[in-house]
Amino acid sequence: MTPVLEMHGIRKAFPGVVALDGVDLTLHRGEVHMLLGENGAGKSTLMKILSGAYRKDQGRIVVDGKDVEIQSPRDALALGIRVIYQELNLIPHLSVAENIFLGAAPTHRFGVIDWRRLSAATSQLLTDLGMNLSPDTPLGQLSLAQRQMVEIAKALKGQASILVMDEPTSALTSREVDQLFALIARLTERGVAIVYITHRLDEVYRIGQRVSVLRDGRRVTTQPLSDVTVAELVRLMANREVGDHFPKQRTTPGKELLRVEGLGRRGALSDISFCLRAGEVVGIAGLLGAGRSELARVIAGADRSDSGTIQCDGQATNFRTPADAIRRGIGLLPEDRKAEGLVAGLTVARNTALPHGRRLARSGFLPRGCEERLAEPIVKDLRVKATPTQEVRLLSGGNQQKVVLGKWLAGDAHIFIFDEPTRGVDVGAKIEIYNLMNRLTASGAGIIMISSELPELLGMSDRILVMCRGRIRAEFSAADATQERVLSAALGLAS
Amino acid sequence: MRARRFGTVIGLGVLCAVLWALTPHFLTVSNLLNVAQQTSINAIVAVGMTFVIVSGGIDLSVGSIVALSGVVLGALLQGGQPLAVALAAALAVGLGCGLLNGALVSVGGLPPFIATLGMMSVARGAALVFTEGRPVSGFDEGFRSLATGAIGFVPAPVVVMIGVYMAAHVVLTRTTFGRYVYAIGGNEEATRLSGVAVRFHKTAIYGVSGVMSAIAAIVLTARLNSAQPIAGTMYELDAIAATVIGGTSLMGGEGTLAGTLVGALIMGVLRNGLNLLGVSSFLQQIVIGGVIVGAVLVDTVLKRHRV
């Protein structure tokens, strides 16, 4: 049987980087093909070439045995290629049906929408896909997983033969993940070929048949998953043996750095109390919407609290702005680094120097090269794959995260808030981040770590606080914490 | 970035070459100085516009602030106030209007379009009320030398323009304030979370724009020997055009003053050339509109291929 897609010798270069250097990929009807690789390995670039977002420099693309030129997203759509990105492109005020058929709704004469046919067509499509959704529900009332289903339904209307999913489960609960995987199984039965990009290795074996690993713009391997172990995959991606996933080094807790008492913010947080000592990692667990990021933002001065107090180094504080918190030595690595962590159009050095303008400047003027001199050792130390004069938008996700870290390392921060520090970051970079956390605690800093990955939280924390609906439900020492106990507290069950 | 700036410079060169071929009067020293002088006012206003647009905003009130600063200046000079006092008052009026714009945007949370649209009407109205709609004309030689004087063969307005560009370029590229202008335009929330006082700096950015309008008003009033409450009409559009032709993105976060200066020169040379060629002022509007759209279109296409 001819493969539904063959990509041969795909090459793509950007100024200063060869993103793809002769990559091949073959896709069969009805298979789930896992695409793995570190950040910056070339996965996204390859998929953007397939979807018409980028144009390849060299190589051939064959769809259903015919050579094709994909010049634009339109060409890709016409060939039955669909991509579901991490960020959903839906309109909350419109109904499920309107979203699915946006711009393609059945009409009467003169372009008036035929609501009856629209509703019928949507029901038909949703039933076909085994989705239990009503066409008339406003999208805004749906959960994230349901919205993702709508996005998939939208992608699959018309003739879709290839579906690319980029980390579809990163924001889903485990039950929602089950629903998604059931849907994927139904799609493959209908002959749809799926390219699935993920950093979660457990998912790879649950749904995948074959796997391709990219590294530094080249394909390292393609093989059936039955022939390859997790350890081998990790080694192929990182090209270095990963012994211990969590290289945690414990330090004896020192003096108290941060004390939070009865902190509250209407609709988000109530009665939060805890403390953080020097040398300690305090993990914060909880489901989406439990108030973890809200807590991080209040401590970092990004949002105001309604009640309660925050003490830094034994002194009462009142953060009105992020600048107040930074002055007290607090550094936030926000959950969404593109939206809150970095200015994409500025260089690595200028991003690094952004919080330190006042210190670097001589009566308002920045001495020539002062930002580069500040960033240079940090870029080297964190092994950011970039020069200080490169624009941040050209960096991969893992390297961008390092730049956000570098912003605070360039100052005198000693209370760090890591909000999902390893989300969308590859295995190798994850370990670098863990080692860095060790270095920080060894030097007397304290870390608050928010993470949705329980193994990471259990592996790296000295203590774990579990949040549920804006409150702290439970606290565990590293020795007492198990995935089951943390999870049941996060779900609000009695432990 | 470099390729794009080069593109506008080439555009200016081609434009000059065409005009040189079509009319012998274009490439004379006196005409070129004339172009520079006519360009200077729009170019100065466009400096403030560049600060505002790079920071992700827009300032529609610049023309009205030119008028209001101008009539305050004129009235004080005619009232016998010392030159320094009148100039300071004109600058203060510009600064005040700009800061008010900035506060409405950054503290009040209004979209820049709305805040400055309001100021556009209020400042224009204030200028008309203040003068009862009549121009204030006739000033002494000392003040007028700001327009009629020259250093060597360079006319005073051009000297002012060059001075303003050099100072503003240093501010935009070499100071923390300049960095924050780009950072705020690129990602306001990330900039705030980095501890930058975003509200303060945004307010100051509109203040800069107000001051530039006031400087333009001083040069304009000296040149015309008259301060008119209806001066500066449509200046906002010329300044936006110069900025955008110069490669500054309306989305904010990028742009240079060198680009804006070239953009302003393109507009000035085009007007001058069309006049020399005897093209009617009605037809000129069509040509200028076409050039603005064409320049930005070329820029957009180039950018798309850059990815």
Side-chain angles (χ1 to χ4, degrees), chain A residues 243-288:
Chain A
D244 190 357
H245 266 53
F246 302 105
K248 170 71 179 167
Q249 286 162 12
R250 292 191 197 281
T251 357
T252 325
K255 68 176 169 75
E256 189 174 284
L257 299 177
L258 181 78
R259 172 169 287 277
V260 175
E261 296 269 17
L263 203 63
R265 179 177 159 83
R266 191 138 39 93
L269 302 170
S270 48
D271 198 24
I272 304 282
S273 301
F274 69 94
C275 77
L276 175 71
R277 293 174 175 286
E280 212 179 22
V281 177
V282 171
I284 299 185
L287 305 177
L288 273 179

Side-chain angles (χ1 to χ4, degrees), chain A residues 141-398:
Chain A
Q141 293 177 10
L142 300 182
S143 74
L144 197 58
Q146 289 172 317
R147 291 183 197 198
Q148 202 162 37
M149 301 244 165
V150 173
E151 182 85 46
I152 294 171
K154 183 180 168 185
L156 292 177
K157 71 170 188 287
Q159 284 301 310
S161 53
I162 298 168
L163 181 64
V164 178
M165 302 174 94
D166 191 353
E167 292 212 52
T169 59
S170 57
L172 300 188
T173 63
S174 67
R175 182 182 307 173
E176 291 169 339
V177 171
D178 291 344
Q179 289 174 7
L180 178 70
F181 287 179
L183 174 63
I184 287 176
R186 284 195 297 278
L187 292 179
T188 52
E189 273 166 34
R190 296 173 21 164
V192 177
I194 294 176
V195 179
Y196 191 104
I197 299 175
T198 186
H199 286 299
R200 298 191 174 179
L201 292 179
D202 54 326
E203 290 178 352
V204 171
Y205 288 89
R206 268 181 76 187
I207 56 166
Q209 280 92 49
R210 290 195 306 153
V211 61
S212 289
V213 178
L214 299 187
R215 188 173 70 219
D216 300 331
R218 293 165 189 271
R219 187 188 62 171
V220 191
T221 184
T222 293
Q223 52 184 312
L225 277 159
S226 47
D227 299 351
V228 60
T229 66
V230 178
E232 279 166 352
L233 282 181
V234 171
R235 189 178 52 74
L236 285 167
M237 282 161 67
N239 194 26
R240 47 184 170 259
E241 296 288 345
V242 178
D244 190 357
H245 266 53
F246 302 105
K248 170 71 179 167
Q249 286 162 12
R250 292 191 197 281
T251 357
T252 325
K255 68 176 169 75
E256 189 174 284
L257 299 177
L258 181 78
R259 172 169 287 277
V260 175
E261 296 269 17
L263 203 63
R265 179 177 159 83
R266 191 138 39 93
L269 302 170
S270 48
D271 198 24
I272 304 282
S273 301
F274 69 94
C275 77
L276 175 71
R277 293 174 175 286
E280 212 179 22
V281 177
V282 171
I284 299 185
L287 305 177
L288 273 179
R292 296 170 305 168
S293 295
E294 289 79 358
L295 176 61
R297 285 178 62 86
V298 169
I299 295 175
D303 294 331
R304 302 287 298 269
S305 59
D306 301 328
S307 58
T309 58
I310 299 173
Q311 284 178 25
C312 280
D313 302 310
Q315 286 172 299
T317 60
N318 180 17
F319 298 155
R320 293 171 172 276
T321 64
D324 293 337
I326 292 166
R327 222 166 291 134
R328 292 296 191 142
I330 294 175
L332 170 69
L333 283 87
E335 187 181 8
D336 186 343
R337 54 182 169 265
K338 274 195 191 128
E340 301 178 344
L342 294 165
V343 184
L346 292 187
T347 65
V348 171
R350 290 182 183 181
N351 270 285
T352 308
L354 198 53
H356 313 296
R358 222 177 258 191
R359 180 160 60 86
L360 292 171
R362 302 277 168 269
S363 47
F365 286 87
L366 291 163
R368 208 168 275 276
C370 67
E371 293 154 313
E372 286 73 19
R373 281 195 296 280
L374 180 76
E376 182 85 57
I378 291 166
V379 164
K380 212 171 273 172
D381 191 33
L382 297 181
R383 289 197 275 155
V384 182
K385 282 179 203 148
T387 61
T389 51
Q390 237 166 343
E391 282 180 31
V392 161
R393 67 186 171 89
L394 298 172
L395 272 53
S396 71

Side-chain angles (χ1 to χ4, degrees), chain B residues 52-285:
Chain B
V52 172
I53 292 181
V54 169
S55 81
I58 192 92
D59 189 348
L60 301 180
S61 65
V62 288
S64 299
I65 296 178
V66 166
L68 183 58
S69 297
V71 296
V72 168
L73 172 72
L76 289 175
L77 285 174
Q78 284 213 327
Q81 296 290 334
L83 183 58
V85 171
L87 292 180
L91 292 172
V93 166
L95 178 66
C97 291
L99 291 178
L100 188 54
N101 275 334
L104 288 171
V105 171
S106 64
V107 182
L110 289 183
F113 191 96
I114 301 300
T116 60
L117 186 67
M119 180 59 75
M120 178 180 175
S121 185
V122 169
R124 175 73 63 198
L128 287 162
V129 169
F130 185 66
T131 58
E132 294 173 334
R134 287 189 292 268
V136 187
S137 305
F139 307 113
D140 63 37
E141 256 332 290
F143 171 67
R144 286 180 55 203
S145 68
L146 283 174
T148 55
I151 294 179
F153 63 94
V154 186
V158 180
V159 174
V160 173
M161 175 180 81
I162 292 170
V164 163
Y165 267 84
M166 292 200 314
H169 178 75
V170 168
V171 168
L172 202 53
T173 57
R174 299 244 61 87
T175 66
T176 49
F177 176 66
R179 280 298 182 273
Y180 297 158
V181 174
Y182 285 97
I184 290 169
N187 188 340
E188 188 172 331
E189 178 66 1
T191 307
R192 190 176 81 91
L193 289 178
S194 294
V196 175
V198 168
R199 285 181 175 179
F200 173 84
H201 286 99
K202 261 174 101 165
T203 308
I205 287 164
Y206 287 86
V208 168
S209 180
V211 168
M212 291 303 159
S213 295
I215 294 174
I218 292 166
V219 175
L220 182 69
T221 306
R223 210 159 94 88
L224 300 179
N225 193 17
S226 169
Q228 310 201 355
I230 53 159
T233 315
M234 304 282 268
Y235 275 20
E236 59 284 345
L237 296 186
D238 282 354
I240 293 169
T243 307
V244 171
I245 291 174
T248 298
S249 161
L250 277 176
M251 305 297 290
E254 56 177 311
T256 61
L257 282 172
T260 299
L261 182 58
V262 173
L265 284 172
I266 287 177
M267 307 253 310
V269 166
L270 195 61
R271 283 227 167 88
N272 174 263
L274 293 173
N275 279 332
L276 288 180
L277 293 172
V279 176
S280 84
S281 66
F282 300 159
L283 201 56
Q284 282 191 23
Q285 295 198 23

Side-chain angles (χ1 to χ4, degrees), chain B residues 10-27:
Chain B
I10 290 172
L12 180 59
V14 169
L15 188 61
C16 289
V18 169
L19 289 172
W20 182 33
L22 290 178
T23 158
H25 300 297
F26 177 72
L27 205 68

